[in-house]
Amino acid sequence: MQQWYDNAIIYQVYPRSFQDSNNDGLGDLEGLLQRLDYIKKLGVNAIWINPVFTSPQVDNGYDVSNYFNIDPHFGSMATMNALIKRAHELDMHIILDFVLNHTSDQHPWFQDALKSPKSLFRDYYIWEQTKNGQVPNNWGSFFGGSVWAKHPSEKNTYYFHLFDQHMPDLNWANPEVRQAMIEVAKYWVEKGVDGLRLDAFIHIAKANLHQDFPSSEKGAVIAEPMYANLPNVVTYLQEFINELRKINPDLFILGEGASAGPELAALYTRSNRGNALCDGIVSFRNLPKERLADQDALAMKLKLPAKEKLDLAQLPESIVHWQTSLAQTTQPTLYFSNHDMPRMATAYGDSEYLERSLKTLATMQYLQKGVPIIYYGEELGLQNVELERFTAFQDQTVTALKTQLSGREQTAVLHYLSQTHKTPARQPMPWDDTVNQGFSEHEPWLRTATKQVTVAEEEEDPDSLLNFYRQLLHLKQQELFANGEFRLLTAPTGLLVYERYLAGKSALIVTNLTRESVSYSNDDWTNADIIYTVGQVTLADNQWHLAPWSSIVLKQDQLPWL
Ligand code: NOJ
């Protein structure tokens, strides 16, 4: 049976940066509500909203202190209700970001658990005792340092946190925790949300804590095999999702499996009990990347993440791998970036052919079989903004760098991090040329001097990226591009070519992802109609000649091999 999400086209909104309605410098739900028509016009039918529950905002809402309410920064439950209602009137679906691996340390469960080993909530979290003041094991947190933090008053007692120390991990081995999280999720499903994005779900099961992770390094080390993708993840997940689907069988579950490649994504979307696992997976491994040859020496010395670009040699195989691994269960998700990564234009755009390269990349990516996820502002070609202060990154490891560096080094590192870090990709949406680009009358939470292209400017220009995205996403809604079969064709490196076909109709997508001009011929397609081209494409001697970063999309009312 077809579900609404088989044809989903998702727009990701980072709510603190989308639209500020009460002029406090932070975006909010009322602002998002006011902009729903803009989102609808793009051609999407679902909105994924990053967390808006009550939170001390240590990690921008991924540290939840009350799952049953909206953080006052973002508005009220009444506004959330209105947002869901209006989105539904516009035939759009709401997907909430649901944080289930950890809570905030301000959550009443954790506050109670801290009080005494006998607290009824003690076993909601993961505790260890040691004898000599040493941490229980050498496992490292994704946010730096050990996964263990000291209990504030009980000697030699530690709690487990995979992310910030103010975000203690829940103990999913405890059935009470599993039931409590089901109750929280039910509340939102009953309220009418259409989907949940399960944050960090691959970490809900942990290995035996009484062991170090083998490593030659001293101190804490990232130990994924100890806390990622363990077999109980599927067990817990299945129970959780089963209960929710009893309320809404159409509930869309988008799992965040940071380290999942195609096989794990298939595992998390497969089920032997009907439709009881995820419907889509987002991960950091969706695109093959290679390190840029000219790495910054200082960045390397400081062990900052390397600059990367698309690995064109690996791209065809990667695409086929994702497409075939998920073919029996669901559809791949198609995206370039999100709030945890540098922006698409910064990471993959070609500065010499910026607009054209972004149009061709979007063509290559979103016309594949799968569910597009567009990160807000991508449709404008937004780039990472330049942040001029270390504290602006809101990341302790970045703040700590400053003291180690000379003045000149600081400038270089700030510039480098502005290209590679996640925070400069979370900038306020630039709507127009009024104060703070129409985002807020108050200074925005993320201060930046970077001049950005605005929605208003792009509205005016028929060839703008914004208007291109609108056309592309409307094309994507057609059955052929939503549900048609996918077939990759052999082509030289840098030229990505594939077909889609369905019920006697087919399309050919040819994208040149390089700065070189290339030619391509395919006898099955010489008499086909052009849907659109990007850049310069000419036909001569039965060959398509594609200038740098150009692309062409063709269609015909027959299958290519007939
Ligand atoms: C993944 C989220 O996308 C990221 O922003 C967050 O910091 C971690 N999970 C922890 O919740």
Side-chain angles (χ1 to χ4, degrees):
M1 202 186 74
Q2 274 253 319
Q3 314 276 14
W4 71 265
Y5 47 78
D6 291 331
N7 294 343
I9 303 179
I10 302 173
Y11 189 68
Q12 181 193 349
V13 169
Y14 200 66
R16 64 167 42 217
S17 296
F18 201 57
Q19 177 70 69
D20 178 13
S21 74
N22 62 347
N23 292 318
D24 61 357
L26 283 167
D28 46 47
L29 291 178
E30 179 62 37
L32 171 54
L33 182 61
Q34 290 166 8
R35 295 294 185 180
L36 282 187
D37 289 337
Y38 168 81
I39 298 176
K40 173 76 187 170
K41 196 171 167 195
L42 257 180
V44 311
N45 61 4
I47 307 173
W48 151 27
I49 308 171
N50 288 99
V52 287
F53 311 108
T54 314
S55 159
Q57 305 289 329
V58 167
D59 186 22
N60 289 348
Y62 284 97
D63 47 320
V64 179
S65 56
N66 181 355
Y67 288 97
F68 296 104
N69 217 340
I70 301 296
D71 192 279
H73 289 115
F74 292 124
S76 65
M77 193 59 90
T79 323
M80 175 55 101
N81 293 337
L83 182 73
I84 296 172
K85 184 163 175 274
R86 183 69 191 134
H88 288 172
E89 283 165 8
L90 292 170
D91 270 334
M92 292 198 290
H93 300 84
I94 296 289
I95 302 166
L96 288 191
D97 213 319
F98 191 75
V99 190
L100 72 174
N101 174 67
H102 44 267
T103 68
S104 158
D105 61 356
Q106 299 307 306
H107 193 288
W109 296 338
F110 191 70
Q111 286 297 308
D112 200 274
L114 278 180
K115 284 187 195 147
S116 147
K118 296 209 175 84
S119 157
L120 289 177
F121 295 97
R122 186 72 164 200
D123 204 23
Y124 269 44
Y125 296 90
I126 302 167
W127 303 90
E128 278 298 315
Q129 299 255 212
T130 58
K131 279 194 197 133
N132 46 13
Q134 279 190 337
V135 286
N137 59 37
N138 70 342
W139 304 359
S141 150
F142 290 130
F143 282 12
S146 169
V147 295
W148 297 102
K150 274 191 174 146
H151 186 291
S153 55
E154 285 173 34
K155 209 164 164 224
N156 291 335
T157 305
Y158 293 83
Y159 66 87
F160 186 106
H161 64 90
L162 208 41
F163 297 92
D164 190 275
Q165 63 164 323
H166 298 291
M167 297 153 74
D169 281 45
L170 284 162
N171 176 16
W172 274 71
N174 176 356
E176 276 183 46
V177 167
R178 303 208 290 273
Q179 193 52 42
M181 292 314 281
I182 288 171
E183 293 308 319
V184 174
K186 273 186 178 171
Y187 172 82
W188 288 99
V189 177
E190 277 162 2
K191 192 178 265 302
V193 304
D194 309 282
L196 299 176
R197 177 237 186 220
L198 300 186
D199 181 67
F201 79 91
I202 61 170
H203 305 297
I204 57 182
K206 274 81 174 170
N208 181 342
L209 304 167
H210 300 124
Q211 53 183 329
D212 276 341
F213 184 63
S215 166
S216 52
E217 277 177 48
K218 284 218 173 83
V221 290
I222 294 297
E224 286 242 350
M226 301 299 191
Y227 44 59
N229 305 306
L230 291 168
N232 268 341
V233 171
V234 171
T235 316
Y236 301 153
L237 192 66
Q238 203 150 28
E239 180 189 12
F240 178 81
I241 297 176
N242 251 334
E243 289 303 312
L244 302 180
R245 291 240 166 83
K246 285 183 190 160
I247 308 172
N248 178 2
D250 277 351
L251 187 72
F252 175 58
I253 300 285
L254 180 63
E256 191 228 3
S259 54
E263 279 83 13
L264 276 173
L267 174 75
Y268 291 131
T269 49
R270 184 179 303 135
S271 162
N272 53 13
R273 285 208 273 149
N275 189 18
L277 278 180
C278 299
D279 305 295
I281 293 291
V282 283
S283 102
F284 281 88
R285 305 216 171 141
N286 62 325
L287 290 169
K289 292 167 207 162
E290 63 176 322
R291 290 165 68 97
L292 280 180
D294 54 335
Q295 289 295 322
D296 185 298
L298 180 58
M300 286 203 355
K301 199 175 108 199
L302 295 171
K303 298 207 172 111
L304 303 182
K307 277 198 183 156
E308 295 176 323
K309 60 175 183 159
L310 264 191
D311 185 338
L312 293 177
Q314 293 300 320
L315 186 62
E317 188 190 323
S318 163
I319 289 177
V320 165
H321 202 163
W322 278 101
Q323 289 285 341
T324 51
S325 300
L326 298 184
Q328 305 305 313
T329 55
T330 185
Q331 302 204 33
T333 45
L334 308 169
Y335 54 95
F336 285 102
S337 73
N338 57 42
H339 64 292
D340 288 330
M341 301 173 183
R343 283 194 168 271
M344 168 196 179
T346 304
Y348 308 118
D350 183 330
S351 50
E352 251 187 62
Y353 299 90
L354 190 57
E355 190 182 305
R356 196 196 275 194
S357 65
L358 298 179
K359 288 178 177 173
T360 285
L361 283 163
T363 298
M364 180 279 289
Q365 183 80 315
Y366 298 131
L367 293 181
Q368 288 175 45
K369 187 176 171 78
V371 171
I373 308 179
I374 318 289
Y375 184 48
Y376 82 97
E378 172 187 324
E379 72 278 16
L380 305 175
L382 292 191
Q383 311 233 18
N384 275 23
V385 288
E386 285 286 320
L387 296 183
E388 285 147 4
R389 288 170 304 135
F390 281 80
T391 49
F393 290 86
Q394 304 191 348
D395 176 337
Q396 281 165 13
T397 53
V398 172
T399 311
L401 286 175
K402 184 177 176 184
T403 52
Q404 309 169 25
L405 304 170
S406 70
R408 190 184 309 158
E409 286 174 338
Q410 286 180 15
T411 311
V413 168
L414 282 171
H415 179 64
Y416 182 90
L417 284 170
S418 292
Q419 308 278 299
T420 53
H421 196 270
K422 60 190 178 184
T423 304
R426 298 175 175 183
Q427 73 265 53
M429 181 80 168
W431 294 101
D432 52 41
D433 61 3
T434 60
V435 62
N436 296 319
Q437 301 201 288
F439 167 72
S440 174
E441 285 170 20
H442 189 284
E443 184 168 295
W445 71 275
L446 191 69
R447 211 174 64 186
T448 167
T450 312
K451 164 104 183 69
Q452 304 181 101
V453 61
T454 66
V455 171
E457 282 166 39
E458 294 209 20
E459 286 277 3
E460 298 289 299
D461 173 5
D463 292 330
S464 68
L465 193 64
L466 172 62
N467 283 317
F468 174 82
Y469 262 69
R470 287 174 175 157
Q471 286 157 19
L472 178 66
L473 298 182
H474 281 93
L475 184 66
K476 175 72 183 178
Q477 292 170 7
Q478 291 181 8
E479 272 304 295
L480 175 63
F481 292 101
N483 290 311
E485 292 299 318
F486 173 91
R487 184 167 85 141
L488 193 90
L489 302 185
T490 307
T493 297
L495 189 66
L496 206 289
V497 184
Y498 58 90
E499 289 168 339
R500 303 293 310 274
Y501 52 94
L502 182 78
K505 288 187 190 306
S506 55
L508 179 76
I509 294 90
V510 185
T511 55
N512 176 8
L513 307 173
T514 71
R515 282 183 180 181
E516 314 296 322
S517 296
V518 287
S519 301
Y520 177 74
S521 66
N522 185 330
D523 293 344
D524 294 339
W525 286 91
T526 32
N527 297 320
D529 298 329
I530 297 175
I531 304 184
Y532 73 84
T533 57
V534 171
Q536 291 152 17
V537 185
T538 49
L539 180 63
D541 307 328
N542 272 348
Q543 286 205 323
W544 299 104
H545 300 282
L546 294 97
W549 285 107
S550 296
S551 43
I552 182 165
V553 180
L554 301 155
K555 64 170 179 178
Q556 56 186 350
D557 284 341
Q558 64 181 63
L559 295 177
W561 54 86
L562 289 182

